[in-house]
Amino acid sequence: MPDLTARQNREGDLASLARLLVDPDDLTLINPNAGHPFDPLEWQEKWLGDLDDKSFYVLDETGREVGFFALRVGIGPEVRHLTYVFLDESVRGGAGAELAALIEKAARDLGALSITLKVELDNAPALNAYLSAGYEELGRSNGMATMRRDLD
């Protein structure tokens, strides 16, 4: 299993995300509405533009960026909504619990009491990772499951 850490993204630092998302299928996976190829300006203005949104890079044991996730303000400041989760293929497979722990720590550090997310029902590895991490499925619609986890 990889030894992963997370660091908060510096505002506007999307060069590593652009490097991670060179494959159009990966870009579509984390944001089907984003333009191809990856456009940092589009992401700054449209997808990560809210000042209260916080994004994070996932780092491997060498400090190399191997993933990304964002925590947007949910239905209130005590709720963070998880979006744009991506892990490089080199660290997939068995990293779900470790990634979930990094996300929860980041959310707690932002003052969140709970995390919500949506996951595609046909993405079994992600769905199973969230269920294993204690997320509760709230409902299903349009091929997506809405989930929530209250933080201790």
Side-chain angles (χ1 to χ4, degrees):
M1 181 184 315
D3 184 21
L4 303 176
T5 57
R7 73 160 170 84
Q8 189 168 329
N9 185 14
R10 294 178 295 280
E11 187 175 337
D13 176 15
L14 297 175
S16 293
L17 185 57
R19 178 187 55 78
L20 288 167
L21 297 177
V22 294
D23 183 332
D25 291 337
D26 288 339
L27 180 54
T28 298
L29 179 67
I30 73 162
N31 187 348
N33 298 311
H36 295 270
F38 184 91
D39 179 356
L41 186 58
E42 174 194 8
W43 277 73
Q44 279 180 302
E45 292 179 355
K46 195 170 185 180
W47 308 118
L48 295 170
D50 190 307
L51 292 177
D52 291 323
D53 292 349
K54 302 297 179 198
S55 61
F56 300 80
Y57 280 107
V58 179
L59 312 173
D60 69 9
E61 61 277 353
T62 69
R64 181 177 64 105
E65 289 101 349
V66 294
F68 185 86
F69 65 90
L71 291 167
R72 305 186 85 177
V73 172
I75 56 174
E78 71 282 354
V79 178
R80 286 288 173 158
H81 186 73
L82 177 63
T83 60
Y84 313 130
V85 178
F86 179 78
L87 279 180
D88 186 77
E89 195 163 336
S90 66
V91 293
R92 291 182 198 162
E98 195 170 359
L99 180 61
L102 293 174
I103 291 166
E104 290 171 21
K105 180 182 181 327
R108 278 189 190 95
D109 289 349
L110 294 171
L113 301 175
S114 62
I115 301 171
T116 61
L117 61 89
K118 291 185 183 270
V119 61
E120 292 184 19
L121 292 170
D122 64 359
N123 188 348
L127 182 61
N128 290 333
Y130 294 127
L131 289 170
S132 293
Y135 285 79
E136 171 188 10
E137 190 174 317
L138 301 176
R140 294 180 176 204
S141 177
N142 300 319
M144 303 287 283
T146 300
M147 305 181 88
R148 176 185 177 120
R149 172 145 166 59
D150 292 328
L151 303 174
D152 303 326

